[in-house]
């Protein structure tokens, strides 16, 4: 299908939900899974749509979400390589054109960089992926790895978060127009494009899954693939939300940072610290968020490589071990009720 034909097809009026009489048992199962676990329920997105994010949080999200956008053409290329059907490949390649763009029109990557400009970010820095959080990078890379390691049916099923993307984009446009007037309206073109493209892509992907997932085992694998994709989207937002919380020593923890062997003593164990760990923990005062801690350390160690990644990973590990806590953070385990 040509890009023009794809655009004409995508431009047809769509509805988010089909009539009940048209829904198969598998489709109903996939839609119910998304309604429960898609990232529209993540606290970060909820706060975004309620107008409660700061400018710094919006900018962090835009800069980091761009990394996800760059992974989409890669996973679509992997899906293309899995199919021996020329008709499928002709159809699916339109998704790469949608993100990479064509000679005639801008793609999603360019539109996202326009959003970066609209929120006041340096476009070149965003495009260089200089500020991608390690948790975001792992989540997005996990999606590409999933597609690389699973068959065509599961890979297409994982893409069915598109069933819900059109609706969240509509919600997002309304939220930005109402709550974030400081964002130039030209930056919302990506969201507007996806209100049309995502439902069209979802129809194609869903039709493929319903046609090919015949056995109970195949249907279970499709549901698991969609669930895994939802987990990945949650993980991405978990990392962004964590970057904006201010870690502090856990109530039950006793820091012995000046000992010959620095450690933090917990009720059930002691956690030994290296030299950099001591310096990081001294900054965890419950006032500085993780990004501010990284900035403070960069001032002290301007030549340190991978400093940001190392600090964020260290903080995550200390939270996991119970050394640190993140007051006010609402990072739940992968959207499960």
């Amino acid at each position: 299908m040509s890009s023009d034909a794809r655009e004409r097809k995508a431009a047809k009026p769509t509805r988010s939900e089909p009539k009940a009489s048209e829904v198969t048992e598998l489709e109903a199962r996939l839609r119910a899974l998304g309604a429960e676990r898609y990232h529209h329920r993540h606290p970060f997105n909820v706060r975004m749509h309620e107008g409660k994010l700061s400018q710094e949080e919006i900018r962090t999200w835009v800069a980091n979400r761009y990394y996800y956008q760059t992974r989409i053409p890669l996973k679509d290329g992997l899906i293309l390589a899995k199919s021996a059907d020329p008709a499928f490949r002709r159809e699916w390649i339109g998704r790469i054109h949608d993100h990479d763009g064509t000679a005639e029109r801008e793609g999603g990557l360019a539109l996202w960089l326009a959003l970066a400009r609209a929120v006041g970010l340096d476009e070149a820095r965003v495009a260089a992926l200089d500020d991608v959080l390690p948790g975001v990078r792992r989540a997005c890379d996990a999606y590409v790895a999933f597609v690389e390691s699973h068959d065509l049916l599961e890979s297409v099923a994982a893409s069915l978060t598109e069933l819900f993307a059109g609706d969240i984009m509509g919600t997002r446009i309304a939220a930005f127009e109402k709550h974030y007037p400081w964002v130039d309206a030209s930056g919302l073109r990506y969201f507007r494009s996806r209100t049309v493209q995502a439902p069209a892509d979802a129809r194609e992907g869903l039709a493929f899954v319903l046609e090919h997932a015949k056995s109970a085992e195949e249907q279970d694998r499709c549901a698991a693939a969609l669930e895994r994709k939802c987990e990945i989207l949650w993980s991405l937002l978990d990392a962004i939300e964590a970057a904006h919380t201010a870690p502090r020593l856990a109530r039950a923890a006793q820091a012995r940072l000046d000992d010959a062997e620095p450690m933090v003593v917990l009720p059930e164990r002691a956690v030994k610290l290296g030299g950099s760990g001591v310096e990081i923990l001294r900054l965890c005062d419950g006032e500085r968020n993780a990004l501010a801690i990284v900035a403070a350390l960069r001032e002290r160690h301007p030549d340190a490589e991978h400093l940001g990644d190392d600090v964020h990973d260290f903080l995550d590990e200390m939270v996991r071990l119970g050394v640190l806590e993140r007051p006010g953070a609402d990072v739940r385990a992968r959207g499960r009720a």
Side-chain angles (χ1 to χ4, degrees):
M1 179 182 294
S2 70
S3 296
D4 289 342
R6 180 178 173 82
E7 288 179 351
R8 288 194 296 271
K9 181 176 180 180
K12 293 180 180 178
T14 63
R15 61 175 185 268
S16 297
E17 298 290 340
K19 296 178 180 178
S21 60
E22 299 173 350
V23 177
T24 66
E25 183 177 344
L26 175 58
E27 180 177 351
R29 179 181 178 184
L30 296 172
R31 288 185 180 277
L33 192 156
E36 178 186 357
R37 302 192 178 186
Y38 187 55
H39 66 167
H40 68 303
R41 291 182 175 272
H42 193 285
F44 188 90
N45 272 339
V46 171
R47 291 193 298 116
M48 178 190 294
H49 299 152
E50 291 176 347
K52 296 179 179 178
L53 295 185
S54 67
Q55 292 190 17
E56 183 186 30
E57 286 173 313
I58 290 288
R59 291 182 179 118
T60 300
W61 174 73
V62 170
N64 279 270
R65 174 76 187 209
Y66 181 72
Y67 186 70
Y68 175 80
Q69 304 304 129
T70 67
R71 303 302 94 179
I72 298 302
L74 301 185
K75 69 89 180 173
D76 283 326
L78 290 169
I79 288 175
L80 282 174
K82 292 176 184 290
S83 176
D85 180 4
F88 176 91
R89 295 198 301 267
R90 285 194 298 270
E91 192 89 5
W92 201 271
I93 200 170
R95 297 169 184 244
I96 295 179
H97 295 156
D98 286 343
H99 282 274
D100 286 350
T102 66
E104 293 77 27
R105 61 185 175 91
E106 290 181 304
L109 291 173
L111 294 180
W112 196 272
L113 289 176
L115 173 62
R117 293 194 300 273
V119 302
L121 291 170
D122 182 328
E123 176 183 346
R125 188 172 182 85
V126 174
L129 308 175
D130 287 338
D131 300 312
V132 178
L133 297 164
V136 169
R137 193 179 296 273
R138 282 192 292 269
C140 298
D141 290 348
Y143 184 28
V144 176
F146 179 92
V147 172
E148 186 173 25
S149 61
H150 288 72
D151 66 18
L152 178 62
L153 180 60
E154 290 168 292
S155 299
V156 173
S159 78
L160 289 181
T161 49
E162 292 162 338
L163 288 167
F164 322 104
D167 286 343
I168 199 174
M169 291 300 170
T171 299
R172 189 161 290 159
I173 291 167
F176 269 72
E177 290 178 337
K178 180 179 180 179
H179 301 298
Y180 307 106
W182 56 273
V183 179
D184 190 282
S186 64
L188 306 184
R189 288 183 297 151
Y190 175 84
F191 303 148
R192 298 189 194 284
S193 73
R194 293 305 294 167
T195 62
V196 176
Q197 291 172 350
D201 289 345
R203 286 196 303 273
E204 295 169 1
L206 180 62
F208 181 89
V209 168
L210 296 181
E211 179 182 354
H212 293 88
K214 297 301 185 183
S215 70
E217 184 269 340
E218 289 170 332
Q219 293 180 9
D220 287 346
R221 288 194 291 117
C222 288
L226 180 57
E227 180 177 357
R228 177 63 182 132
K229 174 65 178 304
C230 289
E231 290 176 345
I232 287 168
L233 293 175
W234 270 71
S235 294
L236 186 159
L237 291 174
D238 284 350
I240 294 172
E241 184 143 86
H244 285 277
T245 59
R248 68 185 181 195
L249 199 66
R251 290 178 177 85
Q254 296 181 9
R256 299 179 178 176
L257 305 184
D258 296 318
D259 289 2
E261 292 187 358
M263 68 181 67
V264 175
V265 179
L266 301 171
E268 68 280 6
R269 64 182 178 274
V271 178
K272 294 184 178 181
L273 303 170
S276 61
V278 171
E279 187 175 13
I280 296 169
L281 277 189
R282 290 191 189 279
L283 295 174
C284 295
D285 54 9
E287 298 294 330
R288 299 179 180 91
N289 67 25
L291 295 175
I293 291 171
V294 170
L297 290 168
R298 279 202 174 117
E299 287 188 1
R300 299 178 187 178
H301 309 285
D303 298 325
E305 295 185 4
H306 312 299
L307 185 147
D309 286 3
D310 291 344
V311 172
H312 287 295
D313 284 342
F314 175 82
L315 294 175
D316 287 345
E317 180 66 6
M318 291 300 102
V319 170
R320 187 188 71 80
L321 292 173
V323 171
L324 294 174
E325 58 187 13
R326 289 174 169 137
D330 192 2
V331 181
R332 295 186 290 117
R334 311 296 165 257
R336 291 181 173 84

